[in-house]
Amino acid sequence: MIGGNVYYLVAGIGLVFVAFVTMYLVGTPLLATVIITLVLGGGMWAGVFALNTKYGEHGLMKANARRSAPKLITNRQSRLFQHLNEDRPGASQRRV
């Protein structure tokens, strides 16, 4: 478990702890609280390992970057390409 998935694991452990404390303070029976906490923790753990298996070490960051990159770049002005074939002043001659 390496990379960005560790943050999901830490956040999940924190949420499971908050759920345990909340259920304990509300007065839920201790056995039910422990069972629910173990189920939530196991589900979170399995989910993080599933992410790790699917995306690998840096794959989750690559997937997020791929999602945020534009699918198409549009240029509506031809000024950008007009000077590509012109000789630039001060450019040295091509050596043969």
Side-chain angles (χ1 to χ4, degrees):
M1 187 168 350
I2 305 170
N5 299 335
V6 172
Y7 298 118
Y8 289 122
L9 181 63
V10 170
I13 290 172
L15 290 174
V16 168
F17 177 71
V18 168
F20 174 80
V21 170
T22 303
M23 286 186 289
Y24 185 77
L25 290 176
V26 167
T28 308
L30 188 59
L31 183 61
T33 302
V34 170
I35 290 173
I36 291 171
T37 302
L38 288 175
V39 168
L40 288 175
M44 179 270 313
W45 193 269
V48 168
F49 271 91
L51 283 175
N52 193 34
T53 302
K54 181 176 182 180
Y55 292 111
E57 182 176 355
H58 301 292
L60 189 58
M61 289 185 289
K62 289 179 183 178
N64 288 336
R66 194 174 297 122
R67 223 176 289 134
S68 67
K71 300 202 181 332
L72 181 67
I73 298 175
T74 305
N75 181 24
R76 298 181 199 273
Q77 299 174 353
S78 61
R79 281 184 301 178
L80 180 65
F81 300 106
Q82 285 178 349
H83 303 291
L84 289 178
N85 291 330
E86 296 177 4
D87 288 333
R88 291 179 299 204
S92 62
Q93 295 293 327
R94 187 175 187 194
R95 297 180 189 191
V96 180

